[in-house]
Amino acid sequence: MATAYDIAMTQEQSKEDGSAPVVAVNNLHKAFGSHIVLNEISLSVNRGKTLAVLGRSGTGKSVLLRIIIGLETPDSGSVCIYGHNIVGLALDRMSEIRMKMGFLFQHAALYDSLTVAENVAFPLVHHRKDMSRSERNERVRQLLVEVGMEGNLEKMPSDISGGMQKRVGLARALALDPEILLLDEPTAGLDPISSGEIDDLILKLQRERRMASIVVTHDLHSARTIANRLALLDQGNVVIEGTFEDLQQSEIGFVEDFLKLS
Amino acid sequence: MSNSVLTPIASINPVLPGRRTLLIDAAVNSTLGLIGGFFEWFGNLGIFFWQVLRAAVTPPYEWRELIRQLDEVGSKSFPVVVMAGSAIGVIISLEARYSLSRFGAKSMFPATLVYSVIQVMGPIITGLVVSGRVGAGIGAELASMKVTEQIDAIEASAINPYRLLAATRILACILMLPLLTLVSDACGLLMGWFAQTLVEPLSFHQFVQDGFKGATFSAFLPQTFKTCVYGLIIGLIACFQGMRTRGGAEGVGRAATNSVVLASLFVILADVVLVKFILVVFP
């Protein structure tokens, strides 16, 4: 079982050469009853790289992210963070790993009883006890400036639009300076302009922070903009994984149909 | 129905015995399903309790959230407990005066009121009132957080939701129930005495002296502190129902209703056991 020390050591190695995968899922299998959602899939992502997972609705894309962050348990297979399998870790051990991850939920999942600023401060309040209140407030302000939401500190989540909620969710996901960013449908339900803004924001964050990112989406344009590699899922299987050009050159019927209709 | 009637029908329509078998099968399956569901619910509740207990005793401790919940459970239940306790005091006063007069035992009124309120009605009424107000509140709040993925977001932020959400609420219920019971008892006694005084003047000093004559702490303390168990039941069931909710707004409503119904039911059932236990341990 991976210890925090083991992970820290591998993490240092990964930072030095950047070649080892930060996140790697191997032969992941997950079924709900008789419905197989993920069928022995294997994917990986390195530091500073973005992998977009595409596919139709209900093909297990979100389940994959939930398994990586430990909100769901796979039936078999492994999820390795810096080379160490985290499947089956106890909740408190898993929390240590999650400190390295940021997760943007499909519907942002902001705490509806807290203001925008309190939402972003939430992870800091619980994990950065050494920070003074003024330091924390300054950090929250910086994060909200980063996502273009600095003028909405005292608003409640119900008072801002879906796109703004996603920005705040992204700021909250970045609060602990994660090395792994998991984004679940970051542009779903947004108008093209807001989608473009979110894409630009993700690209900017990637350039500045060099995180390993996995983006789940069915927005091909967005995936092409923000990801280095794309993986197309169908009925729980990875149909193809590669660059956008690899997908364009593919002669697999499903890939051709997906590109044509997207 | 006699066999003489059944036999000819069965012989005319040979499908009927088969249907009867299917009905019996369905009834047996349904009963087994209910029994299975009952044990599954208890099993899951046990696992949930273990997870909460383990989270509660290990650091970091969520003091800030605990204080917020103490206020939520304690201070905000105060008015309703005062009203319920006062009403119970008046009711017992009216009933006791009438009954005791019939048996010529009016002098027993203060002791009857004191023992009825503190030993019987105060704790159970407080338990039921709090299970209604707090149980529904916790059940609905956590269920709403669950269906909108806010609990998942807490977990994804590397925070143990059992520690932050469940342990704090359950502990607040455990700590606040005895205090609220004392408030309810005090209001019940005061209003019971007041109701009596309106009809037949009785000094408060005399009432207290007669009511608590020969009373020992062991006669009242276990009855008051047994409400810690009510608090555990209310908090545990409400958190459990809330945190395992599925199914949108309907699920939230169901969680709130189930929290109140199950918590109230288990408070009453626990009272049966606790009364017997206290009678044995503190004779």
Side-chain angles (χ1 to χ4, degrees), chain B residues 174-192:
Chain B
I174 293 172
L175 294 174
M176 277 301 159
L177 252 290
L179 296 179
L180 289 170
T181 303
L182 288 176
V183 171
S184 167
D185 290 348
C187 292
L189 293 180
L190 203 63
M191 291 309 290

Side-chain angles (χ1 to χ4, degrees), chain A residues 85-101:
Chain A
N85 188 8
I86 59 160
V87 173
L89 283 184
L91 196 53
D92 283 332
R93 293 284 305 284
M94 192 63 210
S95 290
E96 290 171 21
I97 311 291
R98 285 180 180 139
M99 299 266 281
K100 301 179 193 306
M101 299 186 187

